[in-house]
């Protein structure tokens, strides 16, 4: 009989028996602790995914009860609360995170990271638009569907006001520079038109469309983003005088993230009722899917290819890391995006999860994610280009190379200003159709299935933002390591060198020759390496 010591206590008995028993008990205890740790760490994720599934089941069950409009509004109240809480937190989160992020980065890093971010957003949006057009020509969702119209399907919807392409881009620039920051928190500038009757030179009457500016409901995130970035850079330039205000925005930002962590616990319940209420509100899903099934399939297939192959490949090409392990930590933001159909509403949970689960630097995530949620719309570009090709095929309109180029450029540029505008995606489709000379009366078909396609659209939008933040984090970390290695190499060791002491440069490293095999016995033999 031997004695073995476990946890500081003497235990008698066979050592092998004690060891086997301890290992089996330890393995069972370790497995149990591992499961508990996994459940504790991923509680919100599990509850959120369960909320989506429960919402589908609840919606299907309640749908057979044929609720009235008032009852449906009462039923969807918990989901409405979630949307209101998420939208409430967007303004302080965007402004404070961008001010603190821009102030924490030096001007050179800010310009470099900003340039990489703009190039990434532009290239991925162009790739998404090109993919949608290619799939549109391959699948041909509008071919053979010329008989489709909103009256035949019983569709009713308010079409967006037809807008000139030049006015759309001018509105984009105007919203970059809001005339009133307070008003920008809840209003967006938009051009509207009024028609007047004029007498011609020959006495004939002509109708003239006159543009004029209006303010529509919706936060002007684009203008707030630009102002916050410029304010952060200005505070950085002030030096010590701006430190107090920078600390204020940092504290405000951290307090906002605490609020986000509290809201996250309500997300599963809100998502369940959001999904259920949308299923209850569906009119005749079978008729829509059978009539517009090819368009729905083509759009969702484009989202799957871009989100499942193109974006992960770009991330892997830059970082040489597994993109799917990176995306696995963002299940909660993706579920939120699927339920809310809003990139801006998903922003709070995205910032929290990408920092805590994926370890992305706060300076990077809080700088790039608010910008990406406003200007990076890969999923929207696919949806808009596919809709333009669908409507062109619906009207037997042959798209030439010039039309395709116009769709690419217009969808890429106009998707930047889609955020903060009600029915922004459909409005952008109207701009594209006007640019290539197609009528906008078929947009009611797109509106009818927008709630289906818009869910995968938003997921791809936020995925592009997240992978962009991951790429920028990797490049920033890589540059920091290179800078540290350069500082390590450029040093002067404290070894006397009598022969060249007066000429020693701080950029010269002196190594003792004793450490080399060339002359181990000669103490005066030195090697100088730049």
């Amino acid at each position: 009989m031997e004695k073995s010591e476990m946890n500081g206590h003497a235990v008698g008995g066979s050592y092998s028996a004690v060891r086997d028993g301890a290992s089996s008990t330890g393995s069972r205890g370790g497995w149990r602790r591992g499961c508990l740790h996994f459940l504790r760490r991923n509680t919100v994720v599990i509850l959120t995914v369960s909320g989506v599934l429960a919402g589908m089941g609840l919606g299907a069950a309640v749908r057979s009860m044929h609720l009235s409009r008032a009852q449906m509004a009462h039923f969807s109240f918990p989901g409405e609360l979630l949307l209101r809480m998420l939208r409430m937190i967007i303004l302080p989160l965007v402004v404070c995170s961008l001010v603190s992020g821009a102030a924490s980065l030096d001007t050179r890093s800010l310009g470099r990271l900003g340039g990489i971010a703009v190039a990434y957003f532009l290239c991925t949006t162009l790739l998404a638009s090109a993919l949608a057009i290619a799939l549109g020509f391959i699948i041909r969702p509008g071919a053979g569907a010329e008989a489709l119209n909103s009256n035949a399907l019983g569709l009713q919807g308010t079409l967006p006001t037809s807008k000139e392409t030049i006015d759309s881009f001018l509105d984009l620039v105007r919203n970059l520079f809001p005339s009133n920051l307070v008003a920008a928190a809840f209003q967006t500038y938009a051009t509207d038109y009024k028609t007047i009757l004029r007498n011609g030179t020959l006495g004939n009457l002509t109708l003239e469309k006159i543009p004029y500016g209006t303010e529509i409901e919706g936060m002007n995130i684009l203008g707030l983003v630009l102002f916050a970035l410029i304010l952060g850079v200005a505070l950085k330039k002030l030096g010590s005088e701006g430190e107090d205000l920078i600390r204020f925005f940092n504290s405000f930002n951290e307090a906002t993230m605490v609020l986000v962590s509290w809201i996250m616990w309500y997300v599963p319940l809100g998502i369940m009722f959001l999904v259920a209420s949308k299923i209850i509100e569906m009119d005749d899903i079978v008729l829509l899917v059978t009539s517009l099934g090819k368009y729905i399939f083509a759009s969702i297939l484009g989202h799957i290819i871009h989100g499942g192959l193109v974006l992960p490949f770009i991330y892997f090409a830059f970082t040489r890391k597994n993109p799917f392990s990176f995306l696995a930590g963002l299940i909660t933001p993706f579920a939120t995006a699927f339920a809310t159909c809003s990139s801006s509403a998903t922003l709070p949970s995205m910032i929290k999860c990408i920092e805590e689960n994926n370890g992305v630097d706060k300076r990077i995530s809080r700088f790039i994610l608010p910008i990406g949620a406003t200007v990076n719309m890969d999923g929207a570009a696919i949806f808009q280009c596919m809709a333009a090709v669908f409507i062109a095929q619906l009207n037997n309109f042959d798209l030439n190379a010039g039309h395709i180029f116009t769709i690419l450029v217009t969808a890429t540029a106009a998707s930047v200003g889609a955020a903060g505008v009600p029915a922004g995606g459909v409005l952008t489709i109207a701009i594209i159709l006007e640019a290539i000379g197609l009528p906008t009366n078929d947009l009611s078909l797109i509106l009818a299935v927008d709630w289906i396609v818009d869910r995968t659209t938003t997921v791809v939008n936020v995925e592009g933002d997240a992978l962009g933040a991951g790429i920028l984090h990797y490049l920033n970390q890589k540059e920091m390591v290179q800078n540290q290695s350069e500082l390590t190499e450029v040093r002067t060791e404290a070894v006397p060198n009598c022969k060249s002491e007066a000429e020693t440069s701080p950029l010269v490293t002196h190594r003792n020759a004793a450490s080399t095999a060339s002359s181990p016995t000669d103490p005066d033999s030195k090697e100088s390496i730049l």
Side-chain angles (χ1 to χ4, degrees):
M1 301 291 289
E2 300 174 353
K3 285 190 176 181
S4 174
E5 190 169 317
M6 297 175 59
N7 297 327
H9 300 283
V11 180
S14 171
Y15 174 76
S16 60
V18 172
R19 182 187 60 190
D20 293 342
S23 62
S24 61
T25 304
S27 63
R28 287 196 298 268
W31 180 82
R32 191 179 297 111
R33 285 193 300 270
C35 289
L36 290 176
H37 176 71
F38 175 81
L39 291 175
R40 191 180 300 113
R41 180 181 177 86
N42 299 280
T43 302
V44 176
V45 177
I46 296 172
L47 290 176
T48 304
V49 175
S50 302
V52 174
L53 298 177
M56 293 179 180
L58 181 63
V62 177
R63 181 178 170 83
S64 59
M65 299 172 62
H66 304 291
L67 300 181
S68 64
R69 289 290 179 182
Q71 291 172 330
M72 289 169 58
H74 298 156
F75 179 82
S76 61
F77 178 71
E80 182 187 352
L81 277 185
L82 174 63
L83 286 177
R84 295 178 72 88
M85 285 190 288
L86 291 174
R87 289 169 179 164
M88 170 192 68
I89 214 74
I90 290 172
L91 178 61
L93 184 65
V94 168
V95 174
C96 296
S97 62
L98 279 174
V99 171
S100 59
S104 63
L105 297 170
D106 60 271
T107 307
R108 185 178 65 87
S109 297
L110 185 65
R112 187 180 67 88
L113 292 175
I116 295 174
V118 170
Y120 169 80
F121 293 155
L122 181 62
C123 291
T124 54
T125 307
L126 279 173
L127 285 174
S129 302
L131 172 65
I133 293 176
L135 285 176
F137 277 100
I138 294 172
I139 299 176
R140 297 187 61 81
E146 295 84 359
L148 282 180
N149 57 69
S150 57
N151 294 327
L153 294 178
L155 302 177
Q156 294 179 354
T158 303
L159 297 180
T161 304
S162 180
K163 201 172 183 181
E164 299 291 338
T165 306
I166 183 63
D167 289 328
S168 301
F169 290 109
L170 290 178
D171 286 349
L172 177 64
V173 178
R174 291 186 184 106
N175 284 319
L176 279 171
F177 304 96
S179 58
N180 189 330
L181 282 176
V182 177
F186 52 86
Q187 285 184 335
T188 302
Y189 184 92
T191 298
D192 203 349
Y193 302 93
K194 59 182 178 181
T195 304
I196 62 173
L197 198 62
R198 286 189 178 276
N199 288 322
T201 54
L202 300 177
N204 54 337
L205 297 177
T206 59
L207 293 176
E208 184 177 356
K209 190 165 67 171
I210 305 296
Y212 67 96
T214 60
E215 300 289 340
I216 62 175
E217 184 180 356
M219 187 186 302
N220 180 11
I221 300 184
L222 207 58
L224 295 174
V225 163
L226 183 62
F227 172 78
L229 282 175
I230 296 175
L231 179 60
V233 174
L235 291 175
K236 179 76 172 179
K237 288 291 185 181
L238 282 178
S240 58
E241 295 181 2
E243 289 179 358
D244 291 339
L245 197 52
I246 292 174
R247 280 195 293 268
F248 165 77
F249 280 109
N250 287 336
S251 300
F252 203 158
N253 195 18
E254 294 301 326
T256 304
M257 293 309 299
V258 172
L259 294 177
V260 170
S261 65
W262 294 347
I263 295 174
M264 292 289 288
W265 289 103
Y266 182 74
V267 165
L269 180 65
I271 280 181
M272 181 178 71
F273 282 93
L274 276 176
V275 174
S277 62
K278 185 54 67 174
I279 292 177
I280 295 173
E281 291 172 3
M282 293 188 307
D283 293 326
D284 193 344
I285 184 63
V286 176
L287 178 62
L288 288 178
V289 169
T290 53
S291 303
L292 300 168
K294 288 179 67 177
Y295 166 71
I296 298 172
F297 169 75
S299 299
I300 295 179
L301 179 63
H303 292 148
I304 293 174
I305 294 175
H306 190 74
L309 296 177
V310 177
L311 290 177
F313 176 76
I314 294 174
Y315 177 84
F316 175 77
F318 276 95
T319 65
R320 293 295 189 272
K321 295 180 180 179
N322 185 357
F324 299 104
S325 62
F326 181 88
L327 296 175
L330 304 174
I331 296 177
T332 300
F334 291 154
T336 307
F338 181 84
T340 62
C341 298
S342 173
S343 300
S344 300
T346 311
L347 181 61
S349 62
M350 176 60 76
I351 292 179
K352 179 177 173 60
C353 291
I354 204 170
E355 291 174 0
E356 295 182 357
N357 299 342
N358 295 339
V360 173
D361 192 342
K362 291 182 179 180
R363 297 175 300 172
I364 302 296
S365 62
R366 299 182 186 186
F367 165 70
I368 197 62
L369 289 178
I371 300 175
T374 307
V375 303
N376 186 36
M377 299 290 173
D378 295 354
I382 293 175
F383 158 67
Q384 292 155 8
C385 291
M386 186 66 70
V389 174
F390 168 74
I391 292 176
Q393 294 172 353
L394 201 65
N395 290 276
N396 291 321
F397 185 85
D398 292 328
L399 296 172
N400 55 32
H403 294 141
I404 294 173
F405 178 78
T406 303
I407 292 174
L408 283 173
V409 174
T410 308
T412 302
S415 63
V416 174
V421 179
V426 180
L427 179 62
T428 306
I429 299 173
I431 297 171
I432 297 173
L433 296 179
E434 288 286 338
I436 60 177
L438 277 172
T440 59
N441 55 351
D442 289 323
L443 279 178
S444 56
L445 297 172
I446 307 301
L447 281 170
V449 295
D450 178 58
W451 64 271
I452 300 176
V453 180
D454 200 24
R455 301 185 182 279
T456 54
T457 295
T458 311
V459 172
V460 175
N461 286 342
V462 300
E463 180 192 356
D465 302 340
L467 291 177
I471 292 172
L472 285 179
H473 172 74
Y474 172 80
L475 295 178
N476 189 57
Q477 294 293 107
K478 184 178 179 181
E479 186 186 23
M480 290 173 61
V481 171
Q482 290 176 348
N483 291 339
Q484 290 176 356
S485 64
E486 290 173 2
L487 291 175
T488 304
E489 288 295 328
V490 183
R491 71 188 188 277
T492 303
E493 294 183 1
V495 177
N497 191 344
C498 301
K499 295 182 180 180
S500 59
E501 186 175 4
E503 301 175 356
T504 299
S505 167
L507 296 178
V508 177
T509 298
H510 301 290
R511 294 183 181 174
N512 197 328
S515 62
T516 63
S518 60
S519 178
T521 58
D522 186 6
D524 293 332
S525 177
K526 302 280 192 292
E527 183 182 7
S528 297
I529 302 174
L530 282 174

